[in-house]
Amino acid sequence: MASLFKKKTVDEIIKEQSRELRGTQRQITRDRNALEKQEKQMEAEIKKMAKSGNREACKILAKQLVQLRKQKNRTYAVSSKVTSMSTQTKVMNSQMKMAGAMSSTAKTMQAVNKKMDPQKTIKTMQDFQKENMKMDMTEDMINDTLDDFLDESGDEEESQDIVNQVLDEIGIEISGKMVRAPAAGKSVPGGAAASKKTTMSDEEIERQLRALGVD
């Protein structure tokens, strides 16, 4: 019983109208087919009367044929109108759905705009930028402090180990140069080249030791 008093939706109404229009279109087609059949029969009757020389009957049938053809042409006009109505109904339904979608979207946008405070959003972004800058400064300070701590925390023994390691590396480097020394001094007397090479190596050692703070 409740379904009898239930209000129909727009889609349901449009579906019913579409069914009615399709039914009307089918009925118009059937009527046209019947008129075309009657038209052929009347044309045959007119030919028959013309052959028999009955001119009065031919005139009467000719007038009826004209009226019948007019009626048939009206069916085309009505059919076209029904098709147009069906199309307009579908277009209206589509437009109503589009309007409904736009209305829902507008309501959603209004709700979002109410929740979104531009000034509050700008302040939040500014606070984020400020805190981010603070974090970067804090990170730089911590890194500088760690660097200073690590530079000053080594004891004498550790420093001496580093110096010894550097001296060993220098010794390896000098040995390498001494091996290549004869080849490099082919164009000068052997004694002078060796003496010059040795002097340069000693100066290099002294320079690197001074750079390490070792007298």
Side-chain angles (χ1 to χ4, degrees):
M1 291 295 293
S3 60
L4 296 175
F5 300 99
K6 184 179 178 181
K7 188 176 180 179
K8 294 181 180 179
T9 63
V10 176
D11 286 339
E12 290 174 346
I13 294 172
I14 291 176
K15 285 180 180 179
E16 288 182 0
Q17 291 178 347
S18 297
R19 282 196 297 268
E20 291 177 1
L21 291 173
R22 286 196 299 269
T24 302
Q25 193 73 272
R26 287 193 294 269
Q27 184 60 46
I28 292 171
T29 302
R30 285 194 292 267
D31 292 343
R32 187 187 304 121
N33 292 334
L35 290 172
E36 288 176 349
K37 184 177 181 181
Q38 190 176 353
E39 180 185 8
K40 291 178 181 179
Q41 291 175 351
M42 194 170 292
E43 288 174 352
E45 188 67 21
I46 291 172
K47 290 178 181 179
K48 182 179 178 181
M49 291 295 107
K51 286 180 181 179
S52 64
N54 193 343
R55 296 184 62 185
E56 279 303 314
C58 287
K59 288 181 181 180
I60 295 172
L61 290 173
K63 289 179 180 180
Q64 292 178 357
L65 180 61
V66 170
Q67 294 299 322
L68 188 145
R69 286 177 176 175
K70 286 182 179 179
Q71 184 63 26
K72 186 180 73 172
N73 289 334
R74 289 192 190 98
T75 63
Y76 286 109
V78 174
S79 178
S80 176
K81 188 64 177 177
V82 170
T83 302
S84 177
M85 290 174 60
S86 178
T87 303
Q88 288 178 351
T89 302
K90 292 178 181 178
V91 170
M92 288 178 62
N93 185 31
S94 177
Q95 290 176 345
M96 290 177 62
K97 288 182 178 179
M98 187 182 299
M102 292 175 66
S103 176
S104 299
T105 304
K107 289 179 181 178
T108 302
M109 292 175 67
Q110 288 175 359
V112 172
N113 287 330
K114 287 181 180 179
K115 295 291 184 181
M116 183 179 292
D117 186 356
Q119 297 298 328
K120 186 176 180 181
T121 303
I122 292 173
K123 186 177 183 304
T124 301
M125 295 175 67
Q126 290 175 344
D127 292 343
F128 173 80
Q129 186 176 7
K130 187 186 300 182
E131 295 302 323
N132 191 44
M133 291 177 63
K134 287 182 181 179
M135 184 176 292
D136 291 340
M137 292 174 63
T138 303
E139 185 179 359
D140 291 339
M141 291 173 63
I142 292 174
N143 289 335
D144 292 341
T145 303
L146 284 173
D147 290 341
D148 294 340
F149 175 76
L150 292 174
D151 288 341
E152 297 176 359
S153 63
D155 54 15
E156 186 65 25
E157 182 179 355
E158 217 174 326
S159 299
Q160 189 60 42
D161 290 340
I162 295 173
V163 172
N164 292 335
Q165 182 178 356
V166 172
L167 290 175
D168 289 341
E169 292 177 358
I170 293 172
I172 294 171
E173 184 178 354
I174 293 172
S175 300
K177 290 180 180 178
M178 293 299 291
V179 171
R180 293 191 298 271
K186 286 183 179 179
S187 59
V188 296
S195 175
K196 185 176 180 182
K197 192 65 180 178
T198 304
T199 302
M200 289 177 63
S201 299
D202 292 340
E203 288 176 355
E204 186 177 358
I205 293 172
E206 290 176 0
R207 179 177 60 77
Q208 294 191 22
L209 288 175
R210 282 198 298 272
L212 293 171
V214 180
D215 295 332

